Amino acid sequence: MRYVVSASQMKQADRNTTTQYGIPAIVLMERAALETVRIMTERFAKDAGVLVVCGRGNNGGDGLAIARLLHTAGYRVDVFQEESDRYSELCLLQRNIAQAHGLAVHNIFPDREYDIIVDALFGIGLSRDLDETQLELIRRMNALTGYHIAVDIASGLNADTGGLMPEAFRADLTVTYGYLKRGLLTGCGREYSGRIRVCEIGIPAGALEDTPLVKAYDAEDLIMPERGVNDNKGTRGKLVVIAGSEEMPGTPILVGNAAYRVGAGMVKVITQERVVNNVVCTLPELLVYGVKDTTTDEELLRAIQWGDCVVIGPGIGTGDYGKRLLRIVLSRTMLPVVLDADALTLLARDGEIGDLFARCDAERFILTPHMKECERISGMDLQRMREQPYETLQELGRRTDLVIVRKDSRTMIWDGSGEIVIPMTGNDCLAKAGSGDVLCGMIGGILAAELRRTTQIRTACVRAAVNGTLLHGMLADRAVAAGRGPNTVMPGELWKYL
C-alpha cells in the first residue's frame, strides 16, 4: 500500500522536512536528482543525447541538478531555460552550480533531435492554465521523438485531478518524489504520465501532517481468503447470483464463473426459467433456480436465503421482473449484497426501490457503478465527477456510508469509513461489455468466502471490493503481458490468467 497525496500535502511535507526535521531543501533536491539519474542510467548508455527543459521554480532546480549529474557522468546534455530575474532561490543555486561544472544553459530552444527529453518546467506547483508561450514550448517538447521523462509530474497536468491546463507534456516515464500525487492516477494522468516511478528522497513519514485520505494498492497487496485443508464447499461460502433474462442470457454465466474462480464454495443462479438450459449447458457447476411466471415471493425468498450473500443486477432488466427481485432482496433479507448494473438503475429511477434501500443497513451493501450509473444514483454531474474525482467520491461516500466501487479507466473505491482506495492494476482490455459482470462476480465470490471468516460485515465488504477489483485488473495485466492485444481479450476468459 502506498499513500497518494494532494499538491498541498506534498508541499507541506517538504516544508516540514526542512523546518521540523532539519533536512535542508537543497539536500532533498540533490537526492531527487540522484534518484532520477539512477533510473535514467539504468536504461540509457552514455552516448545518449539528453535535452533538459527547465522552468524558473524548484522543478527547474531539479532539472538543472539532473542535467549536471548526467553531464559529469559523461552524457551529452543540453539545457534549455529562459532567462529570468525571477528564479526561485534553489533554482538559481542549481543554475550556478551547473554552470560552474561547465554545463551551458541555453535560452534558445535547440533545433536538433535527442534520445531523451526531460521535462522540469513546472512540477506540482502549477495553479493556473498555461499561457500561449508556455503551451508552445510544451508542444515543441512533445514534438521531439526521443524518450520523454517528466520530473515529479508532467508539466501542464493538474497535480490534484489529472486535468489538462489545457495541455501537458506527454511522458513515457514520470519520476515522482516522496509520494504518488493524485493527478498522476486520475483524469488524463494515466495517459500523460506513462510509467510511474516513486523515489524515496528522505522525507520522514511524520512530515505528513495528516494521514492521506487516498491509498494506492498494487498487485503485491492482493490478499485472497485463505483456504483451509479441512474446507468443504459449504465452508467456502455460498453466493446467490440474481442475474440474466431472455435479453441477456450470458450474464449469469459470466458472474457465476468468476465467483467460482475466486474461491466461492457454492454458487446458485436465480434467473428466468427460459434461460436455465443455457446456463446449465454452459457451466454445469452452477446451481440454477428458474423463475417462472407462477413462482411466488415466498419461493423466491427461500431460494435467496440459501446463500450467505447476494449479487443482483446484471441483465435482470429494469421492468417488473427485475424490480420484483430487487424489492425482495431489499425488504425481506438481511444478507450482504453487491448491487450492480440494472439494480443500480432501478435504485436511481424507481421511487419505491429507492425508499426501500434508504431503510436498509448501509453496512451490508457494495455498489459497483460505472460513471454514468454513478451520475444517476448520486445526482452529481458527470463532468464534475471527472474534474473532481476524489472530492465527488468522498462526498457520495460520506452521504451514503456505503462501500462504493466507482468503475472507470481508473477505478476508485470508497471504503465506507473515510478512505479512498485506488487499485493500481488493470488496462484498456477491460473496456468491454461483460467486464463489469466478471468484476461483480469476483467481488461476490470473495465476499462469500470472507463472510465465513469474519463476523464483521463491513470488513468483509471492504476486503471483497478491494481485492476483487485488484485481482480483476491483475488478470487483465497478465493477459497483456502474455502477448494478448487488448482487443482480443474477452471478459469471460480472464480466468485463464489466474
Side-chain angles (χ1 to χ4, degrees), residues 471 474-476 478-480 482 484 489 493-498:
L471 178 61
M474 283 176 58
L475 300 185
R478 289 178 181 178
V480 171
R484 297 289 299 276
V489 181
E493 61 176 351
L494 286 174
W495 63 266
K496 294 179 181 178
Y497 301 94
L498 271 170

Side-chain angles (χ1 to χ4, degrees), residues 41-63:
T41 55
E42 288 174 356
R43 181 183 181 98
F44 296 97
K46 290 185 180 181
D47 60 352
V50 185
L51 172 64
V52 184
V53 181
C54 300
R56 301 186 304 240
N58 286 352
N59 195 247
D62 291 330

Side-chain angles (χ1 to χ4, degrees), residues 327-348:
R327 185 181 66 246
I328 292 172
V329 169
L330 295 180
S331 65
R332 303 190 64 181
T333 80
M334 293 298 293
L335 297 173
V337 182
V338 181
L339 291 175
D340 186 54
D342 292 330
L344 296 171
T345 300
L346 284 167
L347 186 64

Side-chain angles (χ1 to χ4, degrees), residues 14 17 54 160 164 208 262 300 322 382 402 481:
D14 283 337
T17 299
C54 300
D160 287 331
L164 299 179
L208 284 172
V262 298
L300 281 171
L382 180 61
L402 297 161

Side-chain angles (χ1 to χ4, degrees), residues 204-394:
L208 284 172
E209 293 190 343
D210 300 303
T211 301
L213 167 74
V214 186
K215 297 177 179 178
Y217 278 57
D218 299 292
E220 55 265 30
D221 295 312
L222 177 69
I223 302 176
M224 296 295 287
E226 293 182 3
R227 298 188 70 91
V229 293
N230 293 320
D231 272 351
N232 58 56
K233 62 185 179 183
T235 62
R236 289 299 299 170
K238 298 186 291 185
L239 174 67
V240 172
V241 173
I242 304 176
S245 60
E246 285 186 274
E247 291 76 20
M248 300 190 72
T251 52
I253 299 163
L254 290 172
V255 179
N257 189 28
Y260 267 138
R261 298 288 179 180
V262 298
M266 302 174 73
V267 180
K268 177 191 285 187
V269 166
I270 296 177
T271 191
Q272 285 185 324
E273 176 71 18
R274 292 177 287 276
V275 179
V276 169
N277 284 342
N278 178 61
V279 174
V280 172
C281 292
T282 306
L283 197 64
E285 294 87 350
L286 292 170
L287 307 175
V288 185
Y289 183 93
V291 181
K292 305 174 184 177
D293 294 338
T294 57
T295 303
T296 67
D297 285 3
E298 293 302 322
E299 290 169 332
L300 281 171
L301 181 60
R302 283 195 294 272
I304 295 168
Q305 294 280 37
W306 167 89
D308 298 312
C309 56
V310 178
V311 168
I312 182 169
I316 63 173
T318 57
D320 291 341
Y321 170 75
K323 181 178 176 180
R324 179 191 180 197
L325 290 166
L326 183 55
R327 185 181 66 246
I328 292 172
V329 169
L330 295 180
S331 65
R332 303 190 64 181
T333 80
M334 293 298 293
L335 297 173
V337 182
V338 181
L339 291 175
D340 186 54
D342 292 330
L344 296 171
T345 300
L346 284 167
L347 186 64
R349 294 179 176 174
D350 189 281
E352 179 192 1
I353 294 296
D355 290 342
L356 286 173
F357 184 67
R359 294 195 290 271
C360 293
D361 182 2
E363 181 183 68
R364 63 187 180 94
F365 287 91
I366 303 171
L367 272 60
T368 59
H370 57 59
M371 292 295 281
K372 194 63 179 177
E373 290 167 340
C374 198
E375 182 182 44
R376 293 185 198 127
I377 63 176
S378 69
M380 297 177 185
D381 178 70
L382 180 61
Q383 186 63 27
R384 180 178 169 233
M385 287 193 290
R386 296 205 182 280
E387 292 175 353
Q388 299 177 312
Y390 299 95
E391 293 82 358
T392 53
L393 182 56
Q394 181 183 31

